[in-house]
Amino acid sequence: MPRETVAARKNRANKIIAALRRTYPNARCELNFSNPFELLIATILSAQCTDKRVNLVTAGLFKKYCNAKDFADAPLVEIEEAIKTTGLFRSKAKNIKACCAALVEKFNGEVPRTMAELHALAGVGRKTANVVLGNAFGINVGLVVDTHVTRLANRLGLAKGTDAVKLEQELMKLVPQRDWTDFSHWLIWHGRRRCGARRPDCGHCEIKMLCPQLGVKK
């Protein structure tokens, strides 16, 4: 594909958005949660872990620990044992306990609704904050960039590199703010169902006519 102007790339991005919207009309966060607090904890647990594994763990976890105070009061070793199969369990348990203690102390146990307040919590980076704000509160402050979004953004030629912050800023220039949360879902779903890391199914891809397939081995 010849070098694109910014306007041409934005126009192609809009066509990609329209196609993915049609392909995945029910795309959503695949972590199970019933309230903002559960989503916050589940997202912290999802670091370097599959959503499927996290959902298996939280199915029992949220029955034992129902709110921030429950986690804050629980012995660290007990939390570690409960989340062990998600990997990195020691650091995750430490962050969850500290995060929940701060929620109790500063926010009466409730999850705050601003990027700055969320980002200040232990274990909560910009990606986690974006997940919570977009999916629990419907607030589009930023755009979630995970491994699927990174891979597809590069393959599609919408952004370049692996720095999540820079990729997010580039994508936010191309995607309407109202679609930021959904756009991440669409790319994640497409990455899981069609555009895999090792064997992308380009032959059946719903957006193949809009994709330069950058970095794809042919």
Side-chain angles (χ1 to χ4, degrees), residues 58-199:
T58 56
L61 188 70
F62 293 148
K63 291 180 181 178
K64 186 173 184 179
Y65 308 102
C66 300
N67 52 51
K69 190 175 187 305
D70 287 346
F71 278 105
D73 291 345
L76 185 60
V77 292
E78 190 177 280
I79 300 174
E80 289 177 348
E81 186 61 30
I83 67 170
K84 197 168 187 176
T85 59
T86 67
L88 304 175
F89 64 94
R90 288 192 174 88
S91 61
K92 288 180 181 179
K94 183 179 179 181
N95 284 333
I96 287 172
K97 187 172 174 64
C99 173
C100 289
L103 290 178
V104 172
E105 180 182 348
K106 299 178 181 179
F107 303 103
N108 196 33
E110 299 297 320
V111 177
R113 298 187 177 211
T114 71
M115 173 62 72
E117 290 172 325
L118 280 167
H119 205 184
L121 296 171
V124 181
R126 184 171 176 87
K127 173 190 164 186
T128 296
N130 276 330
V131 170
V132 173
L133 289 171
N135 293 280
F137 299 121
I139 300 173
N140 287 317
V141 174
L143 196 151
V144 174
V145 176
D146 72 348
T147 55
H148 297 289
V149 174
T150 297
R151 181 174 71 255
L152 269 69
N154 277 272
R155 283 181 177 173
L156 288 164
L158 298 179
K160 186 177 181 180
T162 58
D163 185 293
V165 174
K166 292 181 179 178
L167 283 174
E168 181 184 6
Q169 294 303 313
E170 287 300 306
L171 292 173
M172 286 164 64
K173 294 175 184 176
L174 300 175
V175 180
Q177 185 172 1
R178 66 178 181 274
D179 292 327
W180 285 352
T181 297
D182 287 334
F183 184 71
S184 292
H185 292 327
W186 293 328
L187 288 190
I188 291 168
W189 277 45
H190 196 64
R192 288 174 175 167
R193 292 157 174 80
R194 187 70 77 199
C195 194
R198 295 183 180 179
R199 293 184 178 180

Side-chain angles (χ1 to χ4, degrees), residues 1-32:
M1 180 177 289
R3 187 175 179 85
E4 284 182 303
T5 64
V6 174
R9 188 161 72 252
K10 190 168 185 177
N11 181 57
R12 186 165 60 88
N14 286 331
K15 292 179 180 178
I16 290 170
I17 289 169
L20 292 177
R21 191 195 305 273
R22 290 192 300 270
T23 304
Y24 307 108
N26 300 314
R28 57 174 177 76
C29 176
E30 294 188 277
L31 291 170
N32 294 336

